[in-house]
Amino acid sequence: MSMSELMKFIVKELNKEPFNKSYNLISFDSLEPLHLLQVLNDVLAVIDPKQKMDIREESPDQTAVRIFQLLRVLKYKPPDNMNMSEFRAGIVQGEKPVIFPILEWLLLKVPELQKRAYLAKFLVKIDVPPEIMQEEEVNGIYLQYEELMDQFKELHKQSEQLKNSGFNTGEIRKDITNMEEEKEQLIKRIERLRRKVESHPNSQKMMMVAKNLRVERDREKKLAAQKQDQLTAIAHLDQRIKRLEVQLRDMRQTSIGATAESMIHKLEEETRTNGYIVKEQLPRDIGNKKKLIQNLQKVVSVPAMGHSDLEELNAQINLLNAEINQLIEKRMRSGEPTDDKLSLFRQQAGIISHKKEAAAETLRAARDEYNHILHELEQKREVVNAAEGTEVLKGEDFKRYVNKLRSKSTIYKKKRSELAELRAEVGVLTRTEEVLKQRNDHIDRQLSVLERKKGVAGYRETQEELEKVSSMKSELDEMKGRTLDDMAEMVRRLHAEVADRRNNLTPILREIRPLREKLQELNPEYESKKQAYERQQAGFDSNMSKLEQEVKGYREECKAEESRYHYLNCMMKVLQVQQSRVASEMKAYVSSDALEKKKTFREVYSRKIQEQESLSRGLREKQKTVKENHEPNMKQMKMWKDLERLLECKKHCMNQMSNVGTTEGATAMMGGYGDPAPTHLEEDRLVL
């Protein structure tokens, strides 16, 4: 990834949650080393909240040490083309080629690194010197510390499994409500049973027996828990014995072929190396750090400079470099031959000193890497021991284990085929169950409707509850009768089993001691043969993978050809059917039989065409007559509508005149005088 793409990725990630920065490429590229270190510290603070602070409030040495320690815990590996001294100096000075890859690595793995930083607080072991570990009290505390660490691993693993199990708050709340409803139902049921039991003559005696049963069951659970604790303690002691045996074996292997002179020579070399590091390299590094700190303090104390000030300083630097070059040339011209010889020796001495410094730095890096690898090896051993709980099989045991695995693999394949059949059958049965449930629900609804019609609603539920209560009562009676005998038999069986286990373990432990010694003798031969086996296995695996790829390609090609064959076969069948139709059509068309000719498609379609043409001619004639009679028919319809309106109006007027005539007759009877009634002609005139 180029530097520009790296900057784009870092700026994009820093502008997201939870950093919420507002950088762009220009502003981020123009950050000063101190601000860039602060950005790195902010990212580390998101991973580990303890790192949240302002780096201006602590010294650069403390900042560098704190960042180095956290990166080591997070298992960050510097680039291969950079040694540790350049890497440390780049972090202290805030150099972009060193800081940008760290930011990219951190931003790619933020959730994973947060988890690792959290676990490091509890799983990074404390380094205790061996001479202090020889004390019994310290050794006991350290063993207790390791046991607590193992317990934390198990609890954390269980927590992760629960987090990934898919439960959410909605489901838990639903389960809680269901459990509360079940609790209420159980309370009601218990009340009903209590009322029934109180009426029983031996109720107190039965309650005492049930109470004793519950007490004995609780005691049985406690004994089982104690047994489990003792088994775990035995497992921890076995692990401790294995670790001590490994340490003893390593010490014996290191002591093979060692003499006093070789050990003294080795110690002298180590002393000289450590003396050089302590007397020469560390003071030089401390002096360089102090000079760097002084320079940084001077830079911090100087007020902010502008572009013109920087140009002036660059010009002064160029002038001083030119003067230095002139002085060096002048000295070389005026130098004597003895000086030239001394300069050669000085160059050789400088080269040797540089080589010593590089070797010392390489030694320091190798020691750090060695300690880190030892720490990882110890952690992985603990993980393997915790996961397996047994030693690695070797020799004949391993062969028997392989044969056992092969037999189990054949059994597994057989069981897997049976499992596939059972799964298919389960699918069918599940569908059948769903159909039966639907039918049952439908029948229940019909029965509830019938019960409501007959006036006995809830009869079935009541009957089912009565049957359940009676069955529970019978089960309780049987269980109470068997309880005391079972408890006595269980206690006797447990005592006998414990005694048998003790008697069986004693000869086994005696036999194990010579076998362990024999195991230590056979370990080197096993390791050599294991390496040869692994080499052969790697070759076979590589050849097997190549052959599997070839077989896969051939199978895909075969599948493609089979699909093409089936497609062509189907097309041939379609063409054959079409050809048979064409042949039958030609046969019928050429035949001299009139009935056969009528069955041809040509005759059928020509007959249908004639029928449709005759039908269309009749429709055209009908359309023509409709168009010709449209206007007269419309006029006639309008005249009929006008006549209808005229008659309605006449009817309305007649009704009005009849009402007026009745009114005038009434007035004449009362002695009044009115106009004469209108005649029929006058009525017609009024209507018109």
Side-chain angles (χ1 to χ4, degrees):
M1 188 181 289
S2 62
M3 188 62 72
S4 61
E5 293 178 354
L6 186 61
M7 286 178 59
K8 287 180 182 178
F9 172 75
I10 294 171
V11 170
K12 181 180 177 182
E13 293 296 325
L14 288 176
N15 290 335
K16 295 180 181 178
E17 292 285 342
F19 306 105
N20 295 326
K21 305 289 185 182
S22 58
Y23 292 131
N24 53 29
L25 292 176
I26 298 172
S27 62
F28 187 71
D29 190 30
S30 61
L31 287 177
E32 296 180 357
L34 186 64
H35 293 164
L36 193 60
L37 274 177
Q38 184 64 49
V39 172
L40 176 60
N41 192 79
D42 293 341
V43 175
L44 293 174
V46 172
I47 294 170
D48 187 3
K50 293 191 298 183
Q51 308 297 326
K52 189 174 183 180
M53 63 176 64
D54 191 352
I55 61 174
R56 292 176 294 183
E57 297 177 357
E58 63 178 356
S59 63
D61 291 339
Q62 294 176 351
T63 303
V65 170
R66 181 168 53 81
I67 292 174
F68 291 152
Q69 289 178 352
L70 185 57
L71 290 177
R72 182 181 178 185
V73 169
L74 298 177
K75 296 183 180 180
Y76 173 74
K77 294 182 180 179
D80 297 333
N81 57 358
M82 185 182 298
N83 56 27
M84 293 302 296
S85 60
E86 293 177 355
F87 179 70
R88 293 191 182 98
I91 290 180
V92 172
Q93 296 174 6
E95 295 178 355
K96 295 178 182 178
V98 178
I99 302 296
F100 283 178
I102 298 174
L103 286 173
E104 181 197 9
W105 185 77
L106 293 174
L107 293 172
L108 282 171
K109 303 179 178 180
V110 171
E112 180 182 353
L113 295 176
Q114 285 176 344
K115 182 178 178 182
R116 187 177 293 173
Y118 168 73
L119 294 175
K121 294 188 294 184
F122 307 102
L123 297 181
V124 175
K125 289 188 176 180
I126 302 170
D127 294 331
V128 181
E131 58 270 13
I132 298 176
M133 284 291 292
Q134 293 178 359
E135 298 180 4
E136 294 182 358
E137 185 177 359
V138 176
N139 194 8
I141 294 171
Y142 194 78
L143 290 175
Q144 187 179 2
Y145 166 69
E146 289 181 345
E147 292 176 359
L148 291 173
M149 189 177 291
D150 294 335
Q151 292 179 7
F152 174 77
K153 288 179 184 178
E154 294 296 329
L155 292 174
H156 181 72
K157 190 184 296 183
Q158 294 176 5
S159 174
E160 290 296 325
Q161 290 176 357
L162 289 174
K163 287 180 182 178
N164 298 325
S165 60
F167 292 110
N168 54 17
T169 56
E171 293 179 355
I172 293 171
R173 288 175 180 171
K174 187 176 179 180
D175 292 338
I176 290 170
T177 53
N178 293 330
M179 290 170 70
E180 288 178 352
E181 292 176 358
E182 291 178 359
K183 181 181 176 182
E184 292 177 357
Q185 293 176 2
L186 289 172
I187 290 170
K188 293 178 181 178
R189 191 175 294 173
I190 289 167
E191 289 295 332
R192 289 197 299 269
L193 291 173
R194 183 177 293 172
R195 287 195 295 269
K196 289 182 180 180
V197 170
E198 286 177 354
S199 61
H200 198 274
N202 295 327
S203 60
Q204 295 297 327
K205 187 176 180 180
M206 292 172 66
M207 291 294 289
M208 289 299 295
V209 171
K211 184 178 179 181
N212 294 330
L213 173 62
R214 185 169 60 253
V215 171
E216 292 298 329
R217 283 186 175 177
D218 294 337
R219 185 167 172 270
E220 182 183 359
K221 290 180 181 178
K222 290 180 181 179
L223 291 173
Q226 290 177 3
K227 181 181 178 182
Q228 188 64 33
D229 294 337
Q230 290 176 1
L231 290 174
T232 53
I234 290 169
H236 289 307
L237 291 173
D238 289 337
Q239 291 177 4
R240 182 186 173 191
I241 290 168
K242 291 174 185 177
R243 286 197 297 270
L244 293 174
E245 287 177 352
V246 171
Q247 292 177 3
L248 180 61
R249 187 171 62 251
D250 294 337
M251 294 295 290
R252 286 177 179 175
Q253 289 179 357
T254 54
S255 63
I256 294 173
T259 60
E261 294 178 356
S262 63
M263 293 179 69
I264 290 169
H265 182 67
K266 186 177 179 181
L267 289 173
E268 286 177 353
E269 288 183 355
E270 189 174 357
T271 304
R272 284 197 297 271
T273 305
N274 293 330
Y276 170 75
I277 292 172
V278 172
K279 294 178 181 178
E280 296 184 12
Q281 190 176 9
L282 289 178
R284 192 184 305 116
D285 293 341
I286 292 169
N288 293 330
K289 299 288 184 183
K290 288 181 178 179
K291 288 180 182 179
L292 180 62
I293 290 168
Q294 290 176 0
N295 293 330
L296 292 173
Q297 288 177 352
K298 288 180 182 179
V299 171
V300 172
S301 61
V302 172
M305 295 185 292
H307 188 67
S308 60
D309 297 332
L310 292 173
E311 290 180 351
E312 185 178 354
L313 289 174
N314 287 325
Q316 291 179 5
I317 290 168
N318 293 327
L319 290 173
L320 292 173
N321 288 329
E323 290 180 2
I324 290 168
N325 292 327
Q326 289 175 4
L327 292 172
I328 291 170
E329 290 175 359
K330 185 176 179 180
R331 181 183 176 186
M332 292 176 66
R333 286 195 298 270
S334 63
E336 295 179 357
T338 56
D339 294 336
D340 294 335
K341 292 179 181 179
L342 291 174
S343 64
L344 180 62
F345 290 120
R346 288 194 189 97
Q347 289 178 0
Q348 291 178 354
I351 291 169
I352 291 170
S353 64
H354 285 306
K355 286 184 178 179
K356 287 176 70 177
E357 290 176 359
E361 186 63 32
T362 306
L363 178 61
R364 183 188 295 174
R367 284 181 177 177
D368 294 339
E369 187 176 1
Y370 175 71
N371 294 327
H372 182 64
I373 290 170
L374 282 179
H375 183 65
E376 286 185 353
L377 179 62
E378 187 64 25
Q379 287 182 349
K380 288 181 180 179
R381 280 179 179 172
E382 291 177 358
V383 171
V384 169
N385 292 330
E388 296 181 356
T390 56
E391 294 183 355
V392 179
L393 298 176
K394 299 176 182 179
E396 295 296 329
D397 294 334
F398 181 73
K399 290 181 181 178
R400 286 196 294 271
Y401 180 69
V402 170
N403 294 327
K404 189 176 179 181
L405 280 180
R406 287 175 182 170
S407 62
K408 284 186 177 179
S409 65
T410 56
I411 295 170
Y412 165 72
K413 291 177 182 178
K414 183 179 178 182
K415 297 295 183 183
R416 187 173 61 183
S417 62
E418 292 178 359
L419 182 62
E421 295 175 358
L422 290 173
R423 283 177 178 169
E425 189 175 357
V426 165
V428 175
L429 293 175
T430 305
R431 178 59 184 163
T432 306
E433 184 183 3
E434 291 177 357
V435 173
L436 292 175
K437 283 182 179 179
Q438 292 176 359
R439 292 180 180 176
N440 189 19
D441 294 338
H442 182 65
I443 291 169
D444 288 339
R445 287 194 294 270
Q446 289 180 352
L447 287 174
S448 60
V449 171
L450 290 173
E451 287 175 357
R452 284 196 297 272
K453 287 181 179 179
K454 300 296 183 179
V456 287
Y459 173 75
R460 275 185 307 107
E461 288 82 358
T462 306
Q463 186 177 3
E464 289 176 358
E465 289 183 359
L466 289 172
E467 291 177 356
K468 289 180 181 179
V469 169
S470 63
S471 62
M472 288 175 65
K473 182 178 180 300
S474 62
E475 289 176 0
L476 286 172
D477 293 337
E478 292 177 0
M479 186 172 61
K480 289 172 183 176
R482 293 193 304 266
T483 301
L484 296 175
D485 296 335
D486 292 340
M487 288 172 60
E489 181 65 24
M490 187 183 298
V491 171
R492 187 185 60 76
R493 191 171 61 251
L494 286 173
H495 285 298
E497 189 175 354
V498 169
D500 292 338
R501 291 288 177 88
R502 286 177 181 173
N503 296 327
N504 292 330
L505 285 174
T506 303
I508 293 171
L509 292 174
R510 292 175 184 171
E511 293 175 0
I512 285 174
R513 291 172 185 171
L515 291 175
R516 286 178 177 171
E517 296 176 357
K518 188 177 179 181
L519 176 65
Q520 292 177 0
E521 295 175 359
L522 295 175
N523 269 333
E525 183 181 358
Y526 164 74
E527 293 294 336
S528 61
K529 291 185 178 180
K530 181 183 177 183
Q531 292 176 1
Y533 170 77
E534 288 177 350
R535 286 194 295 270
Q536 294 291 333
Q537 185 69 23
F540 291 151
D541 289 340
S542 62
N543 294 329
M544 182 67 74
S545 62
K546 291 179 183 177
L547 292 173
E548 285 179 353
Q549 292 294 330
E550 291 179 1
V551 170
K552 186 178 180 181
Y554 290 146
R555 284 180 178 174
E556 290 178 354
E557 186 177 356
C558 181
K559 287 180 180 178
E561 293 296 331
E562 285 180 356
S563 63
R564 187 168 177 272
Y565 163 75
H566 291 303
Y567 173 73
L568 293 175
N569 193 10
C570 293
M571 292 298 295
M572 285 176 64
K573 289 181 179 179
V574 171
L575 292 173
Q576 288 175 0
V577 172
Q578 292 178 355
Q579 188 176 3
S580 63
R581 287 183 180 178
V582 171
S584 62
E585 182 71 17
M586 290 295 295
K587 183 179 178 181
Y589 184 72
V590 176
S591 177
S592 59
D593 192 0
L595 294 174
E596 291 291 334
K597 285 187 177 181
K598 288 182 180 180
K599 293 180 180 179
T600 59
F601 288 107
R602 181 176 179 181
E603 294 293 332
V604 172
Y605 286 129
S606 61
R607 189 165 58 251
K608 288 184 179 180
I609 289 168
Q610 291 176 2
E611 291 175 358
Q612 293 297 325
E613 286 180 352
S614 61
L615 182 62
S616 62
R617 282 197 298 270
L619 292 173
R620 287 195 193 98
E621 292 176 357
K622 189 180 290 186
Q623 184 182 9
K624 184 177 179 181
T625 54
V626 169
K627 286 182 179 179
E628 291 175 353
N629 298 326
H630 178 65
E631 292 182 359
N633 290 334
M634 291 298 290
K635 288 180 181 180
Q636 188 176 1
M637 187 173 68
K638 186 177 180 183
M639 291 170 67
W640 279 107
K641 285 184 179 180
D642 292 339
L643 179 61
E644 185 179 2
R645 290 173 61 192
L646 183 63
L647 293 172
E648 288 290 336
C649 183
K650 186 174 180 181
K651 180 181 178 182
H652 181 66
C653 292
M654 287 292 292
N655 291 331
Q656 287 182 353
M657 292 301 295
S658 62
N659 293 330
V660 171
T662 54
T663 307
E664 288 178 353
T667 53
M669 289 174 69
M670 293 173 66
Y673 296 94
D675 295 329
T679 61
H680 291 289
L681 294 175
E682 289 175 349
E683 290 177 359
D684 295 336
R685 189 179 71 247
L686 289 172
V687 170
L688 293 173

mmCIF file of all heavy atoms in Angstrom, residues 522-548:
data_model
loop_
_atom_site.group_PDB
_atom_site.id
_atom_site.type_symbol
_atom_site.label_atom_id
_atom_site.label_comp_id
_atom_site.label_asym_id
_atom_site.label_seq_id
_atom_site.Cartn_x
_atom_site.Cartn_y
_atom_site.Cartn_z
ATOM 1 N N LEU A 522 12.843 -42.715 25.612
ATOM 2 C CA LEU A 522 12.336 -42.875 24.246
ATOM 3 C C LEU A 522 11.948 -41.563 23.579
ATOM 4 O O LEU A 522 11.633 -41.553 22.385
ATOM 5 C CB LEU A 522 11.114 -43.808 24.263
ATOM 6 C CG LEU A 522 11.376 -45.250 24.672
ATOM 7 C CD1 LEU A 522 10.063 -45.997 24.767
ATOM 8 C CD2 LEU A 522 12.293 -45.929 23.677
ATOM 9 N N ASN A 523 11.937 -40.472 24.323
ATOM 10 C CA ASN A 523 11.513 -39.188 23.754
ATOM 11 C C ASN A 523 12.373 -38.743 22.578
ATOM 12 O O ASN A 523 11.853 -38.300 21.548
ATOM 13 C CB ASN A 523 11.493 -38.108 24.830
ATOM 14 C CG ASN A 523 10.138 -38.011 25.485
ATOM 15 O OD1 ASN A 523 9.129 -38.342 24.879
ATOM 16 N ND2 ASN A 523 10.103 -37.587 26.731
ATOM 17 N N PRO A 524 13.750 -38.777 22.663
ATOM 18 C CA PRO A 524 14.553 -38.323 21.506
ATOM 19 C C PRO A 524 14.272 -39.132 20.248
ATOM 20 O O PRO A 524 14.128 -38.569 19.156
ATOM 21 C CB PRO A 524 15.997 -38.500 22.002
ATOM 22 C CG PRO A 524 15.904 -38.482 23.481
ATOM 23 C CD PRO A 524 14.609 -39.083 23.835
ATOM 24 N N GLU A 525 14.178 -40.463 20.388
ATOM 25 C CA GLU A 525 13.884 -41.284 19.212
ATOM 26 C C GLU A 525 12.506 -40.949 18.634
ATOM 27 O O GLU A 525 12.319 -40.858 17.415
ATOM 28 C CB GLU A 525 13.933 -42.765 19.618
ATOM 29 C CG GLU A 525 13.705 -43.729 18.450
ATOM 30 C CD GLU A 525 13.749 -45.175 18.920
ATOM 31 O OE1 GLU A 525 13.995 -45.410 20.131
ATOM 32 O OE2 GLU A 525 13.544 -46.058 18.063
ATOM 33 N N TYR A 526 11.561 -40.711 19.535
ATOM 34 C CA TYR A 526 10.215 -40.333 19.072
ATOM 35 C C TYR A 526 10.232 -39.002 18.317
ATOM 36 O O TYR A 526 9.581 -38.860 17.269
ATOM 37 C CB TYR A 526 9.275 -40.246 20.272
ATOM 38 C CG TYR A 526 7.995 -39.521 19.977
ATOM 39 C CD1 TYR A 526 6.990 -40.114 19.210
ATOM 40 C CD2 TYR A 526 7.796 -38.225 20.447
ATOM 41 C CE1 TYR A 526 5.832 -39.446 18.932
ATOM 42 C CE2 TYR A 526 6.630 -37.546 20.158
ATOM 43 C CZ TYR A 526 5.644 -38.166 19.406
ATOM 44 O OH TYR A 526 4.492 -37.493 19.128
ATOM 45 N N GLU A 527 10.999 -38.034 18.827
ATOM 46 C CA GLU A 527 11.040 -36.726 18.170
ATOM 47 C C GLU A 527 11.625 -36.840 16.769
ATOM 48 O O GLU A 527 11.124 -36.232 15.813
ATOM 49 C CB GLU A 527 11.870 -35.745 19.010
ATOM 50 C CG GLU A 527 11.251 -35.377 20.342
ATOM 51 C CD GLU A 527 9.977 -34.587 20.167
ATOM 52 O OE1 GLU A 527 9.822 -33.949 19.105
ATOM 53 O OE2 GLU A 527 9.142 -34.610 21.085
ATOM 54 N N SER A 528 12.744 -37.628 16.626
ATOM 55 C CA SER A 528 13.347 -37.772 15.298
ATOM 56 C C SER A 528 12.384 -38.457 14.326
ATOM 57 O O SER A 528 12.204 -38.022 13.188
ATOM 58 C CB SER A 528 14.651 -38.568 15.415
ATOM 59 O OG SER A 528 14.378 -39.878 15.926
ATOM 60 N N LYS A 529 11.745 -39.539 14.781
ATOM 61 C CA LYS A 529 10.803 -40.234 13.903
ATOM 62 C C LYS A 529 9.569 -39.381 13.605
ATOM 63 O O LYS A 529 9.002 -39.448 12.503
ATOM 64 C CB LYS A 529 10.388 -41.553 14.543
ATOM 65 C CG LYS A 529 11.528 -42.569 14.591
ATOM 66 C CD LYS A 529 11.058 -43.918 15.115
ATOM 67 C CE LYS A 529 12.209 -44.918 15.111
ATOM 68 N NZ LYS A 529 11.797 -46.247 15.600
ATOM 69 N N LYS A 530 9.192 -38.562 14.580
ATOM 70 C CA LYS A 530 8.053 -37.669 14.350
ATOM 71 C C LYS A 530 8.370 -36.654 13.262
ATOM 72 O O LYS A 530 7.537 -36.353 12.398
ATOM 73 C CB LYS A 530 7.695 -36.960 15.656
ATOM 74 C CG LYS A 530 6.508 -36.020 15.538
ATOM 75 C CD LYS A 530 6.253 -35.312 16.830
ATOM 76 C CE LYS A 530 5.112 -34.313 16.683
ATOM 77 N NZ LYS A 530 4.889 -33.562 17.923
ATOM 78 N N GLN A 531 9.611 -36.107 13.287
ATOM 79 C CA GLN A 531 9.998 -35.150 12.248
ATOM 80 C C GLN A 531 9.999 -35.803 10.875
ATOM 81 O O GLN A 531 9.525 -35.222 9.888
ATOM 82 C CB GLN A 531 11.371 -34.568 12.576
ATOM 83 C CG GLN A 531 11.382 -33.671 13.810
ATOM 84 C CD GLN A 531 12.766 -33.191 14.160
ATOM 85 O OE1 GLN A 531 13.722 -33.526 13.461
ATOM 86 N NE2 GLN A 531 12.871 -32.422 15.236
ATOM 87 N N ALA A 532 10.557 -37.052 10.795
ATOM 88 C CA ALA A 532 10.552 -37.748 9.510
ATOM 89 C C ALA A 532 9.118 -38.007 9.032
ATOM 90 O O ALA A 532 8.788 -37.815 7.846
ATOM 91 C CB ALA A 532 11.311 -39.068 9.640
ATOM 92 N N TYR A 533 8.267 -38.403 9.966
ATOM 93 C CA TYR A 533 6.857 -38.641 9.611
ATOM 94 C C TYR A 533 6.179 -37.358 9.127
ATOM 95 O O TYR A 533 5.418 -37.371 8.149
ATOM 96 C CB TYR A 533 6.123 -39.202 10.823
ATOM 97 C CG TYR A 533 4.627 -39.266 10.666
ATOM 98 C CD1 TYR A 533 4.022 -40.258 9.897
ATOM 99 C CD2 TYR A 533 3.811 -38.309 11.275
ATOM 100 C CE1 TYR A 533 2.662 -40.306 9.737
ATOM 101 C CE2 TYR A 533 2.444 -38.346 11.112
ATOM 102 C CZ TYR A 533 1.875 -39.357 10.343
ATOM 103 O OH TYR A 533 0.512 -39.387 10.191
ATOM 104 N N GLU A 534 6.451 -36.260 9.806
ATOM 105 C CA GLU A 534 5.835 -34.987 9.393
ATOM 106 C C GLU A 534 6.304 -34.565 8.012
ATOM 107 O O GLU A 534 5.528 -34.011 7.217
ATOM 108 C CB GLU A 534 6.150 -33.913 10.429
ATOM 109 C CG GLU A 534 5.397 -34.098 11.745
ATOM 110 C CD GLU A 534 5.786 -33.060 12.769
ATOM 111 O OE1 GLU A 534 6.765 -32.327 12.501
ATOM 112 O OE2 GLU A 534 5.134 -33.004 13.841
ATOM 113 N N ARG A 535 7.621 -34.821 7.717
ATOM 114 C CA ARG A 535 8.101 -34.481 6.366
ATOM 115 C C ARG A 535 7.387 -35.323 5.313
ATOM 116 O O ARG A 535 6.933 -34.808 4.278
ATOM 117 C CB ARG A 535 9.615 -34.704 6.291
ATOM 118 C CG ARG A 535 10.427 -33.647 7.027
ATOM 119 C CD ARG A 535 11.887 -33.715 6.628
ATOM 120 N NE ARG A 535 12.509 -34.979 7.036
ATOM 121 C CZ ARG A 535 13.108 -35.158 8.214
ATOM 122 N NH1 ARG A 535 13.168 -34.154 9.082
ATOM 123 N NH2 ARG A 535 13.653 -36.308 8.528
ATOM 124 N N GLN A 536 7.278 -36.627 5.577
ATOM 125 C CA GLN A 536 6.569 -37.481 4.630
ATOM 126 C C GLN A 536 5.098 -37.070 4.498
ATOM 127 O O GLN A 536 4.529 -37.043 3.405
ATOM 128 C CB GLN A 536 6.669 -38.945 5.091
ATOM 129 C CG GLN A 536 8.076 -39.524 5.050
ATOM 130 C CD GLN A 536 8.590 -39.701 3.630
ATOM 131 O OE1 GLN A 536 7.802 -39.881 2.708
ATOM 132 N NE2 GLN A 536 9.901 -39.638 3.461
ATOM 133 N N GLN A 537 4.502 -36.748 5.640
ATOM 134 C CA GLN A 537 3.094 -36.335 5.631
ATOM 135 C C GLN A 537 2.894 -35.048 4.837
ATOM 136 O O GLN A 537 1.906 -34.906 4.101
ATOM 137 C CB GLN A 537 2.611 -36.140 7.070
ATOM 138 C CG GLN A 537 1.128 -35.821 7.190
ATOM 139 C CD GLN A 537 0.262 -37.001 6.830
ATOM 140 O OE1 GLN A 537 0.715 -38.130 6.893
ATOM 141 N NE2 GLN A 537 -0.966 -36.757 6.427
ATOM 142 N N ALA A 538 3.845 -34.113 4.970
ATOM 143 C CA ALA A 538 3.737 -32.862 4.210
ATOM 144 C C ALA A 538 3.823 -33.135 2.714
ATOM 145 O O ALA A 538 3.068 -32.557 1.906
ATOM 146 C CB ALA A 538 4.847 -31.904 4.642
ATOM 147 N N GLY A 539 4.767 -34.041 2.309
ATOM 148 C CA GLY A 539 4.842 -34.381 0.888
ATOM 149 C C GLY A 539 3.570 -35.032 0.386
ATOM 150 O O GLY A 539 3.067 -34.697 -0.695
ATOM 151 N N PHE A 540 3.070 -35.990 1.166
ATOM 152 C CA PHE A 540 1.822 -36.639 0.759
ATOM 153 C C PHE A 540 0.659 -35.654 0.687
ATOM 154 O O PHE A 540 -0.177 -35.730 -0.220
ATOM 155 C CB PHE A 540 1.489 -37.761 1.745
ATOM 156 C CG PHE A 540 2.432 -38.935 1.671
ATOM 157 C CD1 PHE A 540 2.689 -39.717 2.791
ATOM 158 C CD2 PHE A 540 3.085 -39.244 0.478
ATOM 159 C CE1 PHE A 540 3.567 -40.782 2.723
ATOM 160 C CE2 PHE A 540 3.955 -40.321 0.416
ATOM 161 C CZ PHE A 540 4.210 -41.092 1.536
ATOM 162 N N ASP A 541 0.607 -34.732 1.644
ATOM 163 C CA ASP A 541 -0.487 -33.748 1.633
ATOM 164 C C ASP A 541 -0.417 -32.861 0.403
ATOM 165 O O ASP A 541 -1.450 -32.537 -0.210
ATOM 166 C CB ASP A 541 -0.419 -32.886 2.898
ATOM 167 C CG ASP A 541 -0.808 -33.673 4.137
ATOM 168 O OD1 ASP A 541 -1.477 -34.721 3.975
ATOM 169 O OD2 ASP A 541 -0.430 -33.261 5.255
ATOM 170 N N SER A 542 0.808 -32.437 0.030
ATOM 171 C CA SER A 542 0.932 -31.586 -1.161
ATOM 172 C C SER A 542 0.504 -32.342 -2.416
ATOM 173 O O SER A 542 -0.237 -31.822 -3.268
ATOM 174 C CB SER A 542 2.373 -31.107 -1.297
ATOM 175 O OG SER A 542 3.255 -32.208 -1.463
ATOM 176 N N ASN A 543 0.968 -33.628 -2.532
ATOM 177 C CA ASN A 543 0.547 -34.416 -3.701
ATOM 178 C C ASN A 543 -0.960 -34.652 -3.686
ATOM 179 O O ASN A 543 -1.626 -34.608 -4.740
ATOM 180 C CB ASN A 543 1.277 -35.760 -3.699
ATOM 181 C CG ASN A 543 2.773 -35.611 -3.913
ATOM 182 O OD1 ASN A 543 3.205 -34.677 -4.596
ATOM 183 N ND2 ASN A 543 3.564 -36.491 -3.344
ATOM 184 N N MET A 544 -1.494 -34.912 -2.508
ATOM 185 C CA MET A 544 -2.935 -35.140 -2.401
ATOM 186 C C MET A 544 -3.730 -33.908 -2.817
ATOM 187 O O MET A 544 -4.746 -34.011 -3.503
ATOM 188 C CB MET A 544 -3.278 -35.521 -0.965
ATOM 189 C CG MET A 544 -4.759 -35.832 -0.745
ATOM 190 S SD MET A 544 -5.281 -37.316 -1.606
ATOM 191 C CE MET A 544 -4.519 -38.555 -0.578
ATOM 192 N N SER A 545 -3.254 -32.717 -2.410
ATOM 193 C CA SER A 545 -3.976 -31.493 -2.787
ATOM 194 C C SER A 545 -3.949 -31.290 -4.297
ATOM 195 O O SER A 545 -4.962 -30.906 -4.904
ATOM 196 C CB SER A 545 -3.345 -30.292 -2.077
ATOM 197 O OG SER A 545 -1.993 -30.131 -2.484
ATOM 198 N N LYS A 546 -2.780 -31.582 -4.932
ATOM 199 C CA LYS A 546 -2.724 -31.442 -6.391
ATOM 200 C C LYS A 546 -3.695 -32.406 -7.074
ATOM 201 O O LYS A 546 -4.433 -32.041 -7.998
ATOM 202 C CB LYS A 546 -1.300 -31.709 -6.869
ATOM 203 C CG LYS A 546 -0.296 -30.640 -6.461
ATOM 204 C CD LYS A 546 1.091 -31.009 -6.951
ATOM 205 C CE LYS A 546 2.129 -29.968 -6.482
ATOM 206 N NZ LYS A 546 3.502 -30.345 -6.899
ATOM 207 N N LEU A 547 -3.683 -33.660 -6.602
ATOM 208 C CA LEU A 547 -4.587 -34.641 -7.207
ATOM 209 C C LEU A 547 -6.053 -34.278 -6.985
ATOM 210 O O LEU A 547 -6.904 -34.470 -7.867
ATOM 211 C CB LEU A 547 -4.296 -36.026 -6.613
ATOM 212 C CG LEU A 547 -2.931 -36.641 -6.980
ATOM 213 C CD1 LEU A 547 -2.708 -37.919 -6.195
ATOM 214 C CD2 LEU A 547 -2.842 -36.920 -8.466
ATOM 215 N N GLU A 548 -6.358 -33.756 -5.813
ATOM 216 C CA GLU A 548 -7.744 -33.349 -5.550
ATOM 217 C C GLU A 548 -8.173 -32.216 -6.475
ATOM 218 O O GLU A 548 -9.311 -32.182 -6.946
ATOM 219 C CB GLU A 548 -7.869 -32.922 -4.085
ATOM 220 C CG GLU A 548 -7.884 -34.096 -3.115
ATOM 221 C CD GLU A 548 -7.987 -33.635 -1.673
ATOM 222 O OE1 GLU A 548 -7.911 -32.408 -1.456
ATOM 223 O OE2 GLU A 548 -8.129 -34.484 -0.780
#
